[in-house]
Amino acid sequence: MSLWILLTDLHPHQQCAASIMRFGGAAREMARMMTPQEMTLGGVRNDIAVDPVTFLLSGLHSRFTALEEESCLTSMTEMLGFSRRPTEGVTTLLARYETVRQCAAVEGQFTMSIEGCALQLLRACGLQSQHIFTLLQPYEGRLPQNDEQFQHLNTQLRRHGQIAEGAQGNVSQVLNGPMRSARPGT
């Protein structure tokens, strides 16, 4: 909704009405309880006068958003239970892991050591022993100890995954594929 609000040319009272018309279920029923004056001018939330859209969304937020402890526990359990999805590519896996890791830190105030994150990520990738050995060589066979090493491991996992998955234009394809001419028509 935030993106739509930023992109639309509608005035706040029109945004409020358009939003209410798009809602369904309990959110729609609750939003329709707003008075015409609140839809036009907004209202007061926490002793502050707010525009109609802010008034609407803050009312919905206070009734439908997860409780703080629920958000905290959800983000922590998502981090602890992280695993690879069927048919998920390594690039997507790495991006999703970083998102889950950030949510756990921000919403759950939960951070895992760099070593723990590396271990979790290596397990999620499901690599064979020889690949793990090769990936950990730069760290003398140990798990990364700092963020720089962890980011390096992520880059190496991405490279390895793209080769193993046959991603378009990966290093292996370029090195083992046919030579291409630099000039058209030759």
Side-chain angles (χ1 to χ4, degrees):
M1 243 185 108
S2 298
L3 292 175
W4 175 75
I5 289 169
L6 290 172
L7 293 173
T8 186
D9 292 333
L10 297 176
H11 296 286
H13 69 278
Q14 294 169 319
Q15 293 173 11
C16 181
S19 298
I20 292 170
M21 290 174 59
R22 304 272 310 183
F23 291 154
R28 181 183 193 132
E29 295 304 315
M30 194 196 106
R32 286 188 169 200
M33 292 174 43
M34 287 178 67
T35 66
Q37 182 179 354
E38 290 169 334
M39 281 190 227
T40 306
L41 303 173
V44 177
R45 291 273 188 229
N46 301 323
D47 299 324
I48 299 171
V50 294
D51 65 89
V53 176
T54 304
F55 186 73
L56 169 66
L57 295 180
S58 62
L60 292 172
H61 182 348
S62 67
R63 287 169 182 83
F64 293 106
T65 192
L67 299 173
E68 186 177 336
E69 62 273 12
E70 292 170 342
S71 294
C72 181
L73 288 172
T74 298
S75 60
M76 287 175 20
T77 55
E78 284 177 3
M79 174 76 178
L80 292 172
F82 185 85
S83 63
R84 192 172 198 162
R85 294 177 177 159
T87 71
E88 182 174 43
V90 74
T91 302
T92 305
L93 172 98
L94 294 170
R96 191 169 60 83
Y97 184 77
E98 191 54 37
T99 301
V100 168
R101 186 175 170 218
Q102 289 291 6
C103 285
V106 173
E107 295 175 19
Q109 292 81 47
F110 177 74
T111 55
M112 191 182 294
S113 69
I114 294 295
E115 296 92 338
C117 289
L119 176 65
Q120 188 175 37
L121 203 48
L122 287 169
R123 279 187 168 177
C125 287
L127 300 172
Q128 303 213 352
S129 299
Q130 70 269 21
H131 298 299
I132 293 172
F133 176 76
T134 303
L135 286 168
L136 296 182
Q137 275 184 333
Y139 324 114
E140 299 175 0
R142 288 179 259 165
L143 292 169
Q145 304 291 305
N146 57 46
D147 198 54
E148 182 181 337
Q149 291 176 347
F150 183 70
Q151 293 310 317
H152 179 260
L153 176 67
N154 273 282
T155 301
Q156 293 303 97
L157 285 168
R158 186 168 175 227
R159 276 194 187 107
H160 176 273
Q162 291 199 350
I163 291 170
E165 295 164 4
Q168 184 68 30
N170 73 66
V171 175
S172 179
Q173 282 183 353
V174 172
L175 292 174
N176 296 318
M179 296 296 284
R180 299 178 113 176
S181 176
R183 290 185 279 164
T186 57

